[in-house]
Amino acid sequence: MRKLILLVSMPAVALVLFAVPARFEGPVLVPISPGHGLSLVDLAAVVPLLTGLTALGVFLVRRRAVLECTIRRRPGAAATVLIGAGTGLGLLVASVFPFFWWWAVGAVLLSLALAVVAFAAGSHVRGGPVPDVHAQG
């Protein structure tokens, strides 16, 4: 459980670093669009973000049988999480447009969806044993 909390907290740390106000970030190093760019603080936030998301992806692939079982037992909840993740990702992409806070709303929605999926993969589903993905048969 401690490892799971660490995996979910690394993207959260990155989110906090990305949310640092522009006046504290320093000069823009990589311009993205007018009024948007990556500063040194943003580039520092990329490290825990990529590390955490890579580790989380590996964890979810290893626990895909548990996720499949959870999705089969709770299809409505799975659809809600997918819609939330898609909306969050869409808002992150839309953040280059004039309304600045879309990125924050999108990042929170996407982070919540990832946390829910990670905790679902880390828990055992009631009603049966956890299937072994590596079993011969």
Side-chain angles (χ1 to χ4, degrees), residues 3-79:
K3 180 180 178 182
L4 186 59
I5 291 172
L6 179 67
L7 291 177
V8 172
S9 67
M10 288 181 77
V13 167
L15 179 65
V16 169
L17 287 173
F18 278 127
V20 170
R23 65 179 178 265
F24 300 122
E25 289 184 350
V28 172
L29 301 176
V30 180
I32 297 173
S33 68
H36 293 87
L38 294 177
S39 68
L40 187 59
V41 174
D42 293 331
L43 292 176
V46 169
V47 174
L49 179 68
L50 292 179
T51 304
L53 289 178
T54 300
L56 185 60
V58 169
F59 174 77
L60 293 176
V61 166
R62 289 183 179 163
R63 301 286 294 188
R64 65 186 177 271
V66 175
L67 283 174
E68 179 185 0
C69 194
T70 302
I71 290 169
R72 288 184 191 278
R73 291 179 188 265
R74 300 182 187 112

